[in-house]
Amino acid sequence: MLVSLEVLGIALIVIGQQAAGRVSALPEEPPHIEALLVSADRHGHCYLKTEGAGYKVGKGQKYDIECIVSDTTSQLSYEWSCDDGEISEDGSMIAWIAPNTSVHTIVVVTVSDIAGHMVSGNITLNVVSCSVCTFGQCTG
């Protein structure tokens, strides 16, 4: 009898949430990562260039990395990791600080939706040995 009441209670909660518009249909397809974009705009320096499918960046400099996802109709979560450097902030855009050594590194993001679908993407970053030599003197 107790189990029947619990099941009935759960069913009533779900029906109530659906009636209130709180429960949306679960996505059938996983999210799709359209792009990973790197920017230095917020950080006041010019040490950034595209390089093939990745970027050249300056040692010890801070950058924003944004994950652009095509399906924004469902709730998404983002998990970021990197081989070198330091990640701060979270969500679809993070701040990444390049290491103080010249190295090729990769930043990875895994995007998950409420249905448990997951997709990963990565961006290659080439940390140069001399920022001014590679990018020139920042002005402005």
Side-chain angles (χ1 to χ4, degrees), residues 4-79:
S4 297
L5 290 175
E6 285 180 19
V7 169
L8 179 60
I10 291 170
L12 289 175
I13 290 170
V14 170
I15 290 169
Q17 287 180 338
Q18 286 175 335
R22 292 185 196 152
V23 176
S24 59
L26 293 177
E28 294 180 17
E29 297 292 321
H32 174 73
I33 297 174
E34 288 187 11
L36 291 173
L37 303 176
V38 180
S39 167
D41 296 343
R42 272 195 326 159
H43 307 291
H45 63 81
C46 65
Y47 306 129
L48 176 66
K49 285 185 181 177
T50 57
E51 178 181 65
Y55 294 85
K56 280 187 181 180
V57 297
K59 290 192 304 186
Q61 298 296 322
K62 193 170 190 178
Y63 300 89
D64 292 324
I65 303 176
E66 184 175 12
C67 180
I68 307 296
V69 177
S70 60
D71 175 25
T72 57
T73 58
S74 65
Q75 183 178 348
L76 301 174
S77 63
Y78 299 82
E79 184 176 326

Side-chain angles (χ1 to χ4, degrees), residues 89-108:
E89 303 179 32
D90 59 12
S92 63
M93 185 167 73
I94 60 160
W96 176 76
I97 301 173
N100 281 318
T101 58
S102 175
V103 65
H104 280 79
T105 188
I106 296 175
V107 175
V108 177

